[in-house]
Amino acid sequence: MADNSGTVLITGGAGYVGSHVAKALRTAGYETVIFDNLFAGHSEAALGSRLIVGDITDVDSVRKAIRESGAVAVMHFAAWLSVSDSIKDPLGYYHNNVIGTLATLEAMATEGCHYFVFASTCAVYGEPHQLPLSEEHVTEPISPYGQTKLTIEKVLPNFEHSYGIRSISLRYFNAAGADPEGELGEDHSPEIHLIPRALAAAIGKTPIDIFGEDYPTPDGTCLRDYVHVSDLSSAHILALKHLVSGGASNIFNVGTEQPYSVKEVLAVVERVTGYRVACHQAPRRAGDPAVLYASAERIRAVLGWKPSYPDLERIINDAWQWHQKHPDGFTNDNHAG
Ligand SMILES: NC(=O)c1ccc[n+]([C@@H]2O[C@H](COP(=O)([O-])OP(=O)(O)OC[C@H]3O[C@@H](n4cnc5c(N)ncnc54)[C@H](O)[C@@H]3O)[C@@H](O)[C@H]2O)c1
């Protein structure tokens, strides 16, 4: 494993972030086995890596996947991730995100798999009291989605103490962009993220809603920190190497530290695509703080992480390249959701 030769089980690896991380792991010399129920994922996104279609809430399936693949680490992306859906259906979110992750950890404990990298989120913080958000900021999620992720962060020390599972939780800010080689991109259905929605609007699909233009920000729209999915991938690989080389469990923000407003994003989308983005004003959404951006000081200091693509124009351009080639997403779309 220390020589990048081990197998990593990637739950949710047929989804957006997981598929990019899986590709980056293979490029770095690891074997990957993807475990995904294809609720929101795409078999094409596995890019030919082994794909086990299964559900993380089924502990026996996860155990079997770990045992048969010989995985020494799990990277855990499988989750539902819509803040607004989680407000409508907290039970479903607790079931999938908490019970499913506990089942994954149970499978790891019983199969002796001891490294866990967890896709967490800045939604664990809730309304910011200070900016930028550092990992010491109080965690008071304002959505069930954020609470499900925080719940897992909180149980991880127990699993380390009793079962020897060391972990890194990566609190991503807004994942964005696409594989610079153009093989992978973002394809959610329905799409809930600003950049792919704006790109779709730019080519004449559904106009986008701007949720709130009366926030206390310079142009009245929300500010967010967009991190290139390739930079998320490098953070995951550094996290795994840290654990395997004996590094302590930790929690890290992953963001560029640079906030952009919704209107700034739309202006860059228009510049990159050359098209106008049709948009409508819409009311604020529950669970949307005005401004969120990261301090990435801890991940820089401990893991030596530095984003290679911090520039918003580059992030949007990579997304646009993929979007132009795949205006309807992955072609052999067989997801169930
Ligand atoms: N995309 C973002 O901006 C963002 C930001 C912060 C955190 N995250 C976290 O990153 C992870 C990945 O996000 P994404 O954007 O790639 O989402 P995604 O929906 O594209 O990928 C999630 C994958 O998990 C699979 N999945 C869901 N429930 C499952 C289950 N019960 N069993 C097996 N597979 C299951 C889905 O089919 C999908 O392929 C999530 O855990 C999310 O909470 C994402």
Side-chain angles (χ1 to χ4, degrees):
M1 192 70 185
D3 61 355
N4 298 4
S5 56
T7 298
V8 182
L9 186 76
I10 303 173
T11 71
Y16 170 46
V17 181
S19 62
H20 284 79
V21 175
K23 179 178 173 181
L25 280 164
R26 290 190 298 275
T27 304
Y30 296 90
E31 296 280 329
T32 61
V33 175
I34 290 169
F35 185 94
D36 197 301
N37 65 2
L38 300 181
F39 174 78
H42 312 272
S43 55
E44 229 182 308
L47 297 179
S49 169
R50 184 162 173 224
L51 166 65
I52 299 170
V53 178
D55 198 293
I56 53 164
T57 58
D58 176 1
V59 65
D60 290 336
S61 299
V62 186
R63 281 190 66 172
K64 189 162 174 257
I66 293 173
R67 194 168 52 246
E68 289 183 354
S69 66
V72 291
V74 172
M75 290 202 182
H76 187 61
F77 302 92
W80 293 349
L81 57 143
S82 158
V83 166
S84 52
D85 285 353
S86 78
I87 294 168
K88 289 182 215 138
D89 179 21
L91 197 54
Y93 269 72
Y94 278 95
H95 184 77
N96 202 49
N97 294 6
V98 176
I99 295 181
T101 305
L102 291 177
T104 305
L105 289 164
E106 180 183 340
M108 290 178 68
T110 44
E111 296 301 325
C113 179
H114 288 137
Y115 308 119
F116 186 68
V117 181
F118 178 52
S120 190
T121 169
C122 64
V124 298
Y125 294 115
E127 281 292 345
H129 302 301
Q130 297 114 329
L131 288 162
L133 284 155
S134 77
E135 293 83 351
E136 287 84 32
H137 189 282
V138 62
T139 46
E140 297 169 328
I142 51 180
S143 66
Y145 166 64
Q147 188 65 51
T148 63
K149 294 287 182 172
L150 183 62
T151 302
I152 296 304
E153 287 190 6
K154 287 197 185 293
V155 303
L156 286 171
N158 304 143
F159 279 73
E160 173 163 7
H161 183 260
S162 301
Y163 311 119
I165 297 174
R166 276 182 298 120
S167 66
I168 298 287
S169 295
L170 296 174
R171 292 178 177 165
Y172 325 158
F173 283 63
N174 291 53
D179 171 24
E181 292 169 1
E183 287 188 296
L184 293 167
E186 184 166 12
D187 178 10
H188 291 119
S189 181
E191 185 57 69
I192 55 172
H193 294 129
L194 176 63
I195 292 172
R197 284 176 73 144
L199 292 172
I203 56 167
K205 294 194 176 176
T206 318
I208 69 154
D209 291 319
I210 300 182
F211 297 108
E213 296 191 40
D214 55 350
Y215 283 97
T217 58
D219 65 19
T221 63
C222 288
L223 270 70
R224 293 289 181 269
D225 179 335
Y226 296 90
V227 56
H228 196 295
V229 66
S230 294
D231 288 326
L232 282 177
S233 299
S234 67
H236 284 77
I237 293 177
L238 289 170
L240 180 61
K241 287 186 171 163
H242 170 86
L243 290 174
V244 170
S245 62
S249 297
N250 212 329
I251 293 174
F252 298 108
N253 284 339
V254 197
T256 61
E257 308 183 308
Q258 174 66 52
Y260 291 95
S261 76
V262 172
K263 286 186 176 169
E264 286 173 321
V265 170
L266 298 184
V268 178
V269 168
E270 291 189 339
R271 201 161 58 237
V272 166
T273 62
Y275 297 115
R276 218 189 120 251
V277 177
C279 48
H280 298 309
Q281 283 185 13
R284 292 183 181 193
R285 288 182 303 196
D288 256 351
V291 183
L292 292 174
Y293 65 102
S295 160
E297 198 181 322
R298 188 188 286 183
I299 191 169
R300 255 198 315 275
V302 179
L303 299 187
W305 178 81
K306 192 171 170 287
S308 299
Y309 309 101
D311 174 44
L312 184 63
E313 191 145 337
R314 172 64 196 261
I315 290 172
I316 290 176
N317 190 54
D318 284 348
W320 174 231
Q321 295 309 317
W322 193 81
H323 205 82
Q324 277 178 294
K325 286 196 207 108
H326 305 84
D328 299 313
F330 287 99
T331 45
N332 299 324
D333 200 343
N334 57 353
H335 71 84

